[in-house]
Amino acid sequence: SDSGAFASPELLGQLNPVEKQILELSARKMSVREIAKELSLSRSTVHEKLTRLRLDHPELFPTPDSPSRPKAS
């Protein structure tokens, strides 16, 4: 599962099954609309859960500026 790429087993254990599915599909670069359709949820529910995950667990959503590797000086 792609969702484990940036998430520890402990963190994944804190997420409910729907959050894990949303996280996995998001990691596959699916849109909110596509995730909602896949999971039979409303787009607003998917958006709300992704927003909450980003706020509570920003480490799950690395950005280009993430300190994943040392920067050249």
Side-chain angles (χ1 to χ4, degrees):
S1 140
D2 294 337
S3 60
F6 301 105
S8 68
E10 295 81 16
L11 176 57
L12 288 176
Q14 296 173 22
L15 303 179
N16 70 44
V18 172
E19 291 169 334
K20 288 179 190 176
Q21 289 180 301
I22 290 172
L23 182 62
E24 183 174 332
L25 296 175
S26 177
R28 293 183 193 170
K29 307 294 186 206
M30 290 178 72
S31 70
V32 168
R33 182 183 303 225
E34 291 168 328
I35 294 169
K37 184 175 180 182
E38 178 77 18
L39 300 180
S40 299
L41 299 170
S42 71
R43 285 183 283 169
S44 61
T45 296
V46 173
H47 186 268
E48 180 182 307
K49 290 201 176 284
L50 279 171
T51 299
R52 177 56 50 200
L53 285 166
R54 283 188 182 104
L55 289 172
D56 291 349
H57 307 289
E59 68 277 13
L60 295 175
F61 301 90
T63 62
D65 297 333
S66 292
S68 56
R69 59 181 177 202
K71 293 184 179 180
S73 353

